[in-house]
């Protein structure tokens, strides 16, 4: 789950990091009012779940409340790489002397957290990583030991930060790491972290992604969810207890079990097809769940065939077959459906499916091949 800049900045602030504050405006009027309250130059920033807003015209400086109003007018409604701006952050403008990058994320291959920093702040860090990888310094952090002060100092020295400013960035690095761990983030990033003209450290941007698997520990984040910015189908799926990830192919997959769902996608690819989604109906495949799954899969106009892959273990094949037949009566499905059903009571299930006019096979490989053929023929 991604947070907006103003939400991430608030979390940073609760962990002691100095940000430039500000308030959110949904209209140019509100932006003007906030700017008047600030009583000095402000920066007006698009609140969308994507970076590079500056380059796209989503960040503007304004010297007067009138200017702030005009800036908000220009930014609201802007389309930044598919994200339409519906709110802006209006914050006191900072006087920047130098911009840095500071971020924490997980290094999966090293199985440790990694703190990254660069003196090439403000710009797209992916670009720095590509073109001048030597300009990014890293410290791997043992999750049980946390970020040691000496590691943070080493980063500061590598960036060439003047001695009297080292203490400041060391504190911020430790606070950022603390935020990352405490909030169960997969990414916590400040870009740019600036030294102001008066020599103070200030977080001018805030980016955070929260680990979806840890959201149960943070009920407070539910209120921060931006439904407009998320994929509608994925929201519906979450509410139905179905794990669903939209992909770019044309074969809709409905599977019981996450491992089998991954294997199904592999089988589709092996036969030259492309899965349109990952979908695990979870637990029992009742008529209700299958109907919801049909709804999710057919909401994608690219889907040309549906592959249902059920392995009956505790879930009985005949019950699943009934569920599929019943769901198909409830949800109109116009694309071909291929079913693979094996395991407990599979034969009975296949008989029921045949009665419902669906062909089912016992072999996953055959079913995947048939689904790919059906999609290509469509
Ligand atoms: P991003 O482009 O989406 O990462 O948005 P940022 O919030 O990082 O802003 C982009 C750039 O705008 C920053 O790197 C700064 O150079 C500039 N900027 C942002 N806030 C201020 C500010 O308060 N004062 C000044 N002078 N520049 C700012
Ligand atoms: Mn930024």
């Amino acid at each position: 789950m991604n947070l907006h800049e103003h939400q991430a900045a608030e979390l940073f602030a609760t962990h002691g990091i100095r940000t430039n504050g500000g308030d959110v405006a949904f209209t140019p009027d509100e932006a003007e009012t906030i700017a008047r309250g600030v009583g000095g130059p402000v920066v007006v920033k698009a609140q969308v779940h994507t970076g590079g807003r500056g380059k796209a015209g989503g960040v503007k400086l304004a010297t007067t409340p009138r200017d702030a109003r005009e800036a908000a007018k220009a930014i609201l409604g802007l389309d930044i790489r598919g994200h339409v701006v519906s709110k802006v952050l209006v914050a006191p403008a900072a006087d920047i002397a130098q911009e840095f990058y500071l971020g924490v994320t997980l290094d999966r291959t090293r199985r440790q957290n990694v703190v990254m920093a660069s003196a090439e702040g403000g710009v797209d860090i992916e670009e720095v990583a590509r073109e001048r990888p030597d300009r990014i310094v890293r410290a791997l952090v043992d999750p049980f030991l946390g970020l040691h002060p000496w590691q943070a100092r080493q980063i500061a020295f590598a960036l060439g930060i003047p001695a009297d400013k080292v203490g400041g960035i060391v504190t911020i690095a430790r606070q950022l790491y603390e935020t990352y761990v405490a909030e169960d983030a997969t990414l916590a990033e400040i870009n740019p972290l600036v030294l102001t003209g008066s020599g103070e450290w200030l977080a001018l941007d805030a980016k955070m992604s929260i680990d979806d698997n840890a959201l149960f520990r943070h009920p407070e984040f539910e209120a921060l969810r931006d439904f407009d910015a998320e994929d509608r189908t994925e929201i519906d799926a979450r509410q139905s207890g179905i794990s669903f990830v939209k992909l770019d192919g044309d074969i809709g997959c409905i599977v019981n079990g996450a491992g089998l769902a991954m294997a199904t996608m592999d089988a589709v690819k092996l036969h030259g097809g492309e899965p349109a989604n990952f979908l695990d109906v979870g637990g029992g495949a009742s008529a209700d769940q299958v109907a919801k799954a049909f709804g999710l899969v057919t909401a994608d106009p690219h889907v040309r065939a549906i592959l249902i892959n059920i392995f009956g273990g505790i879930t009985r094949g005949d019950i699943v077959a009934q569920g599929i037949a019943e769901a198909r009566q409830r949800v109109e499905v116009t694309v071909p459906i291929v079913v693979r059903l094996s395991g407990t009571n599979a034969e009975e299930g296949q008989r029921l499916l045949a009665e419902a006019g669906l062909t089912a096979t016992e072999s996953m490989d055959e079913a995947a091949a048939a689904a790919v053929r059906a999609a290509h023929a469509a």
Side-chain angles (χ1 to χ4, degrees):
M1 170 186 173
N2 294 321
L3 299 185
H4 280 298
E5 175 193 4
H6 69 96
Q7 298 166 335
E10 262 175 48
L11 283 176
F12 287 178
T14 63
H15 289 271
I17 298 171
R18 234 189 103 201
T19 66
N20 64 341
D23 269 308
V24 173
F26 293 86
T27 63
D29 267 349
E30 287 172 12
E32 184 174 346
T33 309
I34 298 167
R36 189 153 287 129
V38 170
V42 293
V43 57
V44 182
K45 308 170 81 177
Q47 297 299 288
V48 280
H49 287 166
T50 180
R53 295 164 302 168
K55 273 189 203 156
V59 177
K60 290 186 194 299
L61 288 165
T63 37
T64 67
R66 279 263 139 193
D67 288 350
R69 178 200 189 82
E70 289 310 307
K73 209 169 139 189
I75 296 172
L76 287 163
L78 205 67
D79 185 320
I80 304 181
R81 280 182 298 281
H83 301 261
V84 178
V85 183
S86 62
K87 55 180 177 177
V88 291
L89 173 67
V90 182
D95 158 33
I96 303 174
Q98 212 182 337
E99 301 186 76
F100 295 87
Y101 170 93
L102 185 66
V104 187
T105 189
L106 176 67
D107 186 331
R108 287 172 191 275
T109 22
R110 305 294 290 270
R111 302 185 189 185
Q112 290 189 313
N113 293 316
V114 60
V115 175
M116 290 178 294
S118 176
E120 311 265 322
V123 290
D124 186 4
I125 196 68
E126 281 82 13
E127 194 183 309
V128 180
R130 237 187 350 262
E131 281 154 29
R132 296 175 301 275
D134 54 303
R135 301 302 309 264
I136 300 177
V137 294
R138 291 179 177 78
L140 285 166
V141 183
D142 185 305
F144 295 106
L145 299 178
L147 178 68
H148 274 293
W150 64 264
Q151 289 183 295
R153 277 197 299 276
Q154 223 167 39
I155 289 175
F157 295 144
L159 296 183
I161 288 166
D164 63 326
K165 302 292 176 234
V166 167
I169 195 170
V170 165
T171 303
I172 294 171
R174 300 191 75 203
Q175 287 165 330
L176 187 65
Y177 186 82
E178 221 176 83
T179 312
Y180 169 86
V181 172
E183 310 297 346
D184 285 311
T186 53
L187 174 76
E189 192 180 85
I190 309 174
N191 188 26
L193 169 65
V194 306
L195 264 178
T196 62
S198 53
E200 282 169 307
W201 288 106
L202 188 61
L204 270 204
D205 190 5
K207 191 170 171 185
M208 267 182 98
S209 302
I210 307 295
D211 185 347
D212 288 330
N213 296 309
L215 283 176
F216 73 98
R217 292 206 283 224
H218 303 274
E220 72 279 10
F221 288 158
E222 209 40 54
L224 305 185
R225 210 175 259 294
D226 183 348
F227 289 105
D228 296 337
E230 293 185 22
D231 186 84
R232 186 66 245 168
T233 319
E234 291 189 13
I235 297 167
D236 291 344
R238 193 166 47 240
Q239 284 163 355
S240 316
I242 293 176
S243 305
F244 177 91
V245 180
K246 187 174 158 4
L247 301 166
D248 297 328
D250 54 8
I251 298 174
C253 302
I254 298 176
V255 188
N256 70 330
L260 190 59
M262 300 283 276
T264 305
M265 289 159 51
D266 283 346
V268 164
K269 284 188 164 244
L270 190 68
H271 287 283
E274 285 295 331
N277 63 275
F278 166 95
L279 189 156
D280 168 14
V281 285
S286 65
D288 269 349
Q289 285 305 89
V290 177
K292 281 175 194 155
F294 273 143
L296 295 170
V297 169
T298 54
D300 178 354
H302 299 114
V303 168
R304 288 157 182 260
I306 295 175
L307 171 57
I308 303 180
N309 186 4
I310 306 286
F311 181 80
I314 296 169
T315 319
R316 282 164 39 199
D318 53 330
I319 305 280
V320 173
Q322 265 166 20
I324 295 170
E326 210 182 301
R328 208 169 61 120
Q329 279 169 358
R330 279 198 249 159
V331 184
E332 196 199 355
V333 182
T334 51
V335 297
I337 300 173
V338 177
V339 188
R340 179 265 182 153
L341 183 61
S342 76
T344 315
N345 290 7
E347 278 157 32
E348 175 66 4
Q350 290 183 5
R351 199 183 55 73
L352 289 169
L353 287 171
E355 275 174 15
L358 288 169
T359 39
T361 123
E362 180 117 6
S363 152
M364 173 161 149
D365 197 51
E366 277 171 30
V372 173
R373 276 196 306 275
H376 286 171

